[in-house]
Amino acid sequence: MFGREKKASSPDSSLANEPRYPTNHYDPDLSRHPDSEYDHDIHLQFPPARERRLLAKIDLRVIPVLSVLYLLAFLDRTNIANASIYGLKEELGLDSPQNTQYNTALTIFFVSYIAFEIPSNVLLKKLKPHLWLSVCMFLFGLITICQGLVQNYSGLLATRFFLGLAESGMFPGSFYLIGMWYKRSEAQKRYSFFFGSTSLAGAFGGLLASAIGKMDGMRGYKGWRWIFILEGLLTALVAIWFYFIIPDFPENAKWLTEEERTYVETRLRKDQGRSAAERPIELRDVINVFKDYKIFVGGFMYFGLIVPAYGYAFFAPGIIQTYGYSPIGTQLHSVPPWAASFTFAMVVAYFSDRFKHRFAFTLIPICIAITGFGILITVHDRHRLEYGALFMVTMGVYSAMPVIVCWFNMNLGGHHRRAVGTAWQIGFGNIGGIIATYSFLPGDRAEFFKTGYSICIGFICLSAASCVVYAVSILVANRQRDTRPRDLGLTEYEKTELGDLSPDYRYLL
């Protein structure tokens, strides 16, 4: 599905019939067991053609499902921007130029969303992805329907808060799950396709809103209510179906043969180290993750791009409307920038995987986004040029974000560090969503939203600086490990516990 992955291997597959030590948890004395899986690798090789077929099978089962899941999550999260064009502010009394209640309603979503992200990833591992993700999906679909039935500002705040709670596990959980299926060198295309569902959601949301808006007045409901009701209903129905098809981790995938499961685990173990999937995450694991300063740098890399990303997602329809378009014309003109960002993100992902490099492919899109915002700050009387600058903004921001998350996530070794680290990066990064919701205030419209654009540029520069710091830190770590002796007397169990901090591990630049 995502192109051929080359792997040197023998033409014959063989599985060493080595007995495993029977345990469902980590044994502190595991290294003493002579036949332990921590002392011997499973020697299994697939010929290239069979490996490509297996990857295609995984692609078709993992990526489309998670992409649709997050597409609907992002759609239900940001469709309030489309609803605002069809009378939400006017009916709920939020339309005063000095009224920031609409911005507060956007903000309250992130309070619960941020707080529950790390616990959600812990529950994802405990309850299995197909159960946890489908339940969360059904709940945020139901809450979106309720959002279309609110009668006042208080009701809108309540539904936005619980929407954030239900959606908190979608993005970090899906990224974490994808990372447990693919090698680092082949992950970027998959991550970008998955992350591209945000762009597709923006495009799809604009098209859908332009059609649903024509239902204005039907059964006494204004168009903005129908946007929430119908899109929420779609999500809830899909969630019931997805309970049966959302993939679990490789070791629990019943749709793979035993030999295929073993091969997937083995190739990932060779690329990323052992995963420590057998042991549940404990509090000490969470604490140990945060002893590594690179974890905090990874959070700032993502945090810096969240501000312009959500600034655009929540306020693009309002910005485009200032160019003189009707409500339906505004929705339709919001589609092309989103579509362009998806296409460009896939091009960036292809070359990033092709060269097995991430750093440069974060800075190039970031520079494009800064150029776009620069045009928006300085040009106010040429609407075609301003509209073109929106393409640069979306193409830059939404292409750099998946590279940054993939780069950081796939450099974390093992289930525990990856589960906690990914949730931290996404959770901390989404604090930027709170900043974004107050970056474009109603009173700034007369000043062509210069304040909002300036804030976005500042945070993009923060992301770029953080990427440089992270790149330098992993280069230094790799060089230090190359010059130090690799045999430090550590058992395989101890190396597994260390994850990417193991002296045998090498980070991908």
Side-chain angles (χ1 to χ4, degrees):
M1 178 178 178
F2 291 95
R4 298 184 176 183
E5 304 293 348
K6 296 182 180 179
K7 176 179 175 69
S9 59
S10 67
D12 300 315
S13 68
S14 61
L15 177 63
N17 296 316
E18 298 180 8
R20 296 188 183 184
Y21 187 74
T23 180
N24 293 321
H25 60 279
Y26 264 149
D27 183 345
D29 297 321
L30 196 56
S31 60
R32 299 178 185 176
H33 303 304
D35 294 317
S36 167
E37 65 172 314
Y38 289 90
D39 292 323
H40 301 287
D41 271 328
I42 302 169
H43 302 292
L44 178 63
Q45 296 178 327
F46 279 7
R50 187 177 181 188
E51 183 181 38
R52 287 195 296 271
R53 289 196 299 271
L54 176 60
L55 277 175
K57 183 178 181 180
I58 295 171
D59 286 339
L60 290 172
R61 186 61 186 264
V62 175
I63 304 301
V65 173
L66 295 181
S67 296
V68 172
L69 183 152
Y70 192 60
L71 183 152
L72 293 174
F74 196 78
L75 182 66
D76 289 348
R77 180 184 315 173
T78 59
N79 56 10
I80 189 171
N82 302 108
S84 68
I85 301 297
Y86 285 117
L88 178 147
K89 293 181 180 180
E90 290 76 11
E91 187 169 351
L92 298 184
L94 313 178
D95 54 337
S96 170
Q98 304 304 320
N99 192 331
T100 60
Q101 289 180 318
Y102 173 74
N103 302 78
T104 303
L106 299 180
T107 301
I108 198 70
F109 168 90
F110 291 99
V111 175
S112 54
Y113 185 84
I114 293 165
F116 201 61
E117 285 195 297
I118 290 181
S120 179
N121 259 19
V122 175
L123 288 171
L124 173 77
K125 187 173 184 295
K126 184 179 181 64
L127 299 178
K128 294 187 178 180
H130 81 275
L131 174 61
W132 180 244
L133 294 179
S134 61
V135 168
C136 289
M137 187 180 185
F138 181 81
L139 288 176
F140 70 71
L142 184 63
I143 294 167
T144 300
I145 295 174
C146 295
Q147 198 171 207
L149 303 175
V150 299
Q151 299 300 315
N152 51 45
Y153 174 61
S154 299
L156 181 63
L157 284 181
T159 53
R160 293 296 295 179
F161 177 85
F162 287 106
L163 183 66
L165 187 68
E167 284 202 22
S168 62
M170 294 299 101
F171 188 68
S174 297
F175 253 75
Y176 169 41
L177 181 58
I178 293 172
M180 302 313 298
W181 278 99
Y182 296 101
K183 296 195 303 183
R184 289 178 291 175
S185 61
E186 61 195 21
Q188 187 61 64
K189 292 192 295 291
R190 280 84 180 178
Y191 272 123
S192 290
F193 188 89
F194 165 77
F195 196 90
S197 60
T198 61
S199 300
L200 295 179
F204 182 61
L207 288 173
L208 201 57
S210 66
I212 296 176
K214 297 177 181 178
M215 298 175 63
D216 187 41
M218 185 178 294
R219 295 188 177 273
Y221 286 166
K222 289 187 175 294
W224 70 268
R225 294 186 181 275
W226 284 115
I227 289 175
F228 289 133
I229 293 171
L230 294 181
E231 293 180 3
L233 179 62
L234 173 64
T235 299
L237 293 176
V238 172
I240 298 173
W241 175 39
F242 272 21
Y243 172 80
F244 301 99
I245 64 173
I246 290 176
D248 288 324
F249 297 114
E251 56 268 20
N252 305 122
K254 296 180 180 179
W255 45 275
L256 294 178
T257 65
E258 179 64 30
E259 187 180 33
E260 289 173 335
R261 283 196 296 270
T262 303
Y263 179 71
V264 171
E265 292 179 56
T266 302
R267 69 196 295 270
L268 294 180
R269 181 182 306 162
K270 182 178 179 181
D271 180 64
Q272 304 173 17
R274 299 181 185 275
S275 69
E278 300 87 348
R279 183 172 65 78
I281 298 175
E282 300 173 356
L283 178 60
R284 65 182 176 88
D285 297 311
V286 178
I287 295 173
N288 287 336
V289 168
F290 288 103
K291 292 180 180 179
D292 179 9
Y293 75 94
K294 294 191 296 295
I295 297 296
F296 296 96
V297 177
F300 280 103
M301 289 159 59
Y302 187 66
F303 171 76
L305 289 184
I306 278 291
V307 175
Y310 276 116
Y312 184 85
F314 284 133
F315 298 103
I319 293 171
I320 294 173
Q321 192 176 37
T322 64
Y323 300 158
Y325 299 114
S326 66
I328 292 180
T330 296
Q331 304 291 0
L332 292 176
H333 277 84
S334 71
V335 174
W338 286 113
S341 71
F342 174 78
T343 303
F344 187 68
M346 293 308 300
V347 172
V348 169
Y350 171 80
F351 285 105
S352 180
D353 270 353
R354 177 76 177 270
F355 293 106
K356 294 181 174 59
H357 183 84
R358 304 288 181 250
F359 178 47
F361 293 99
T362 63
L363 295 187
I364 294 172
I366 281 175
C367 291
I368 293 174
I370 291 174
T371 303
F373 278 116
I375 294 173
L376 291 171
I377 287 178
T378 56
V379 179
H380 310 120
D381 55 355
R382 299 169 62 187
H383 293 327
R384 288 187 179 181
L385 179 58
E386 293 174 77
Y387 183 61
L390 295 180
F391 282 76
M392 300 182 72
V393 167
T394 57
M395 290 166 64
V397 170
Y398 287 94
S399 297
M401 289 177 73
V403 178
I404 283 175
V405 179
C406 175
W407 186 21
F408 178 74
N409 182 25
M410 298 303 287
N411 270 337
L412 294 171
H415 262 280
H416 306 144
R417 283 181 60 80
R418 185 167 295 171
V420 176
T422 301
W424 153 256
Q425 185 190 40
I426 305 303
F428 174 75
N430 275 298
I431 295 175
I434 297 175
I435 299 172
T437 58
Y438 285 105
S439 297
F440 294 84
L441 299 176
D444 294 339
R445 181 167 179 165
E447 296 295 325
F448 307 104
F449 300 108
K450 287 183 179 180
T451 301
Y453 297 146
S454 299
I455 291 172
C456 289
I457 289 179
F459 278 95
I460 292 175
C461 291
L462 171 64
S463 177
S466 301
C467 288
V468 172
V469 172
Y470 183 72
V472 171
S473 69
I474 62 176
L475 277 175
V476 170
N478 284 345
R479 289 177 181 175
Q480 288 177 341
R481 294 174 189 181
D482 288 338
T483 57
R484 292 174 180 173
R486 301 186 70 170
D487 186 8
L488 301 178
L490 298 174
T491 64
E492 290 299 323
Y493 168 77
E494 291 170 326
K495 291 179 181 179
T496 301
E497 289 290 286
L498 287 171
D500 57 282
L501 300 181
S502 167
D504 293 342
Y505 197 94
R506 296 296 181 272
Y507 295 106
L508 177 67
L509 182 64

